[in-house]
Every structure is written in structure tokens, then in C-alpha cells.
Amino acid sequence: MDSHAAAPGSAPQAAPDLSVLRLLAAEPAVMLGAGRALLLQVAHPKVAQGVADHSDLRERPLDRLLGTLDFLTIVTFGTPEEAARMGRAIRRAHERITGPGYSGNDPDLQVWINATLIDAALYVYENVLRSPGGDLAAAYVDQARYVADVLGCPPGAQPADLAAFRRYMDDMIGSLEVTDTGREIMRAVLWSRKLRWMGPALRLNRFVTTGLLPEPIREGYGLPWSARRDRILWSLLNVNAAVYRRVPRRLRQAGVPLALWSSRRRVARRSRRYAPRGEPTAA
């Protein structure tokens, strides 16, 4: 399959085939994997340190979540020009994210972060929704590389196909050692003080996220789990997935235009708020 890789420091301009990427991204249930993706990301010591040093995730968790969702929504469902503009803005922001042993524009970290997003979406699609993988999974891995491409990830840096992607994830999950910094961020996410008003939802998210993590990563974080909890989780997921699949796809995915509209509005507001005085802002 064709790669969508861009030259380093640039973003692709041609409109790529994103049909399978959009198919999975439009499924609301895929959001079940958001916690898995985030905790896989900060299981990487360099990512964890960068978040600890430069992110306001602890103080503004919803803003950080919305910022990530806005980027993914516009890159996936917006125009190539919008994706290129988002990529340039984020690369500029990442230039300021540096510290001992890490950089916001490090290609290895770009590959890892995008891989966790791909992994989480496929995990929910295949294991929770029980939807077939096969050729769809291969096409998804191919098309989802575009997300890192728009950030200037060098050509050839990402796994080339589904088999290479599976090997990469297995190798990373088997080799990562969660640091104290990573555990601190995990606690800030799963036991957020700023979101205490969402008590029942936080507890549910904590339960689901813990259960969906790969066992080595869950143990690295020191999150308790048991066979009984696992049975309860998968019973709940299977029942809800059976109901979810009965809803026609056009209804499940009807919120995509509204989500794209909302993301564009928020991005425009941020652009106006943070643009240097005298410079034009993004439309």
C-alpha cells in the first residue's frame, strides 16, 4: 500500500485515501480506547518526562483532551490544507518542548504516540466491537500513518505494514519500563482532582482503562487487577457492544459533522487567542 509520508518538516498536500481511517474514527465506541492510548504513551519515559515538564494536563485535563481530539478530528475529517495548517502549528509548539533526552519533534516519539492511537482504535474495533480485522486492519494501519505524517514524521520511520506494526507494538510493550513520573501522570489522569465532580464517570473510566491496558504496562503502573474484575469488565463490554452494533451505522456516526464543526470553531478561537499581535490568524 502507498505511504503518505511527507518530507521532514513539511506536511502532505495531496488528498490521501482516508476512507478506512475515517470509518473507524467515526465510531464513538473507539473512544473507549482513549485511556489505553494515553497511558501507553506516558509509559514511555521520554514522553512522560515531556508531559511532566511542559503539559498542563493536571490542571486542565478537559482542555488537553479537547485539544487532542480537535487535532485528530480535523486531520481525519478536514481538508488537506487544514491538516497541513494544524501540523505546522503543532510542530512550532513542539519546538519549545525540549529537555534532558527528549524533544517534542523527536521522530521516534512521534512514531510511538501515533502507534498508540492506532493500537487503541484497532483494539476496541477488533476485541470490543468484535468487528473483523484482516484487510481492514492493514488498510487502517496504512492510512493512519497520515496522522504522524502531517507532523513531519520522516518517510519510512513508521511501521510499513500491519505485520511490522504488530511487531513494533509487541517489542515496545515488552521493553518499556514505567517510571515514577509516568505513574504520577497516570494518577493525575485516572484520579483527576479537577474532575472530581465527574465521580461515577471517573470510576468507570478508571475501571475500563485499567482492564484494557496490556498486562505488562498495567503492572508497571501498579494498577490492581484480577480475574474477577476481568470477567466483569468483559461481560459489561460484550453486552453493551451487542446493543451498540444494533444501532445503524449512519446513526452511530451522525455526529461527525457536528464534531468537525466544533473542532474548527475551537481551533479558530485558540488561533486568535495565541497568535502574535499583528499576524494573521488561521481561518
Side-chain angles (χ1 to χ4, degrees), residues 47-151:
V47 176
Q49 196 59 54
V51 170
D53 292 346
H54 297 276
S55 175
D56 56 359
L57 176 65
R58 298 176 185 83
E59 299 304 316
R60 301 170 61 199
L62 287 181
D63 286 347
R64 293 305 96 210
L65 173 61
L66 285 174
T68 300
L69 290 178
D70 290 341
F71 167 71
L72 293 173
T73 298
I74 289 176
V75 169
T76 302
F77 298 105
T79 67
E81 293 75 21
E82 288 177 311
R85 192 158 57 240
M86 289 286 288
R88 287 193 298 270
I90 292 175
R91 286 196 301 275
R92 286 196 298 270
H94 282 180
E95 288 172 358
R96 300 189 293 271
I97 300 177
T98 59
Y102 69 83
S103 164
N105 285 322
D106 183 335
D108 289 339
L109 299 186
Q110 290 175 336
V111 170
W112 172 239
I113 289 172
N114 196 38
T116 65
L117 299 172
I118 297 170
D119 162 85
L122 281 181
Y123 186 86
V124 172
Y125 194 75
E126 295 177 338
N127 295 283
V128 178
L129 299 182
R130 304 290 182 182
S131 298
D135 291 343
L136 183 143
Y140 182 75
V141 168
D142 178 63
Q143 294 179 17
R145 290 200 299 269
Y146 177 68
V147 175
D149 287 346
V150 299
L151 295 177

Side-chain angles (χ1 to χ4, degrees), residues 189-192 199 201-211 223 225:
V189 169
L190 296 186
W191 282 270
S192 174
L202 274 184
R203 287 193 291 273
L204 180 60
N205 176 64
R206 191 158 57 237
F207 180 64
V208 172
T209 295
T210 301
L223 290 167
W225 198 243

Side-chain angles (χ1 to χ4, degrees), residues 20-43:
V20 176
L21 174 61
R22 288 170 173 167
L23 176 70
L24 267 68
E27 290 286 358
V30 168
M31 281 299 296
L32 282 172
R36 174 185 168 105
L38 177 58
L39 293 190
L40 279 174
Q41 290 170 18
V42 296

Side-chain angles (χ1 to χ4, degrees), residues 220-265:
Y221 280 117
L223 290 167
W225 198 243
S226 65
R228 178 176 176 274
R229 291 182 180 184
D230 202 63
R231 287 193 300 271
I232 293 171
L233 171 64
W234 284 100
S235 294
L236 290 172
L237 290 176
N238 289 335
V239 168
N240 281 279
V243 175
Y244 179 89
R245 287 193 298 268
R246 289 181 177 273
V247 179
R249 177 176 290 168
R250 69 179 183 277
L251 293 181
R252 298 199 307 259
Q253 302 184 355
V256 169
L258 177 60
L260 180 58
W261 177 83
S262 299
S263 290
R264 284 168 168 162
R265 298 250 309 173

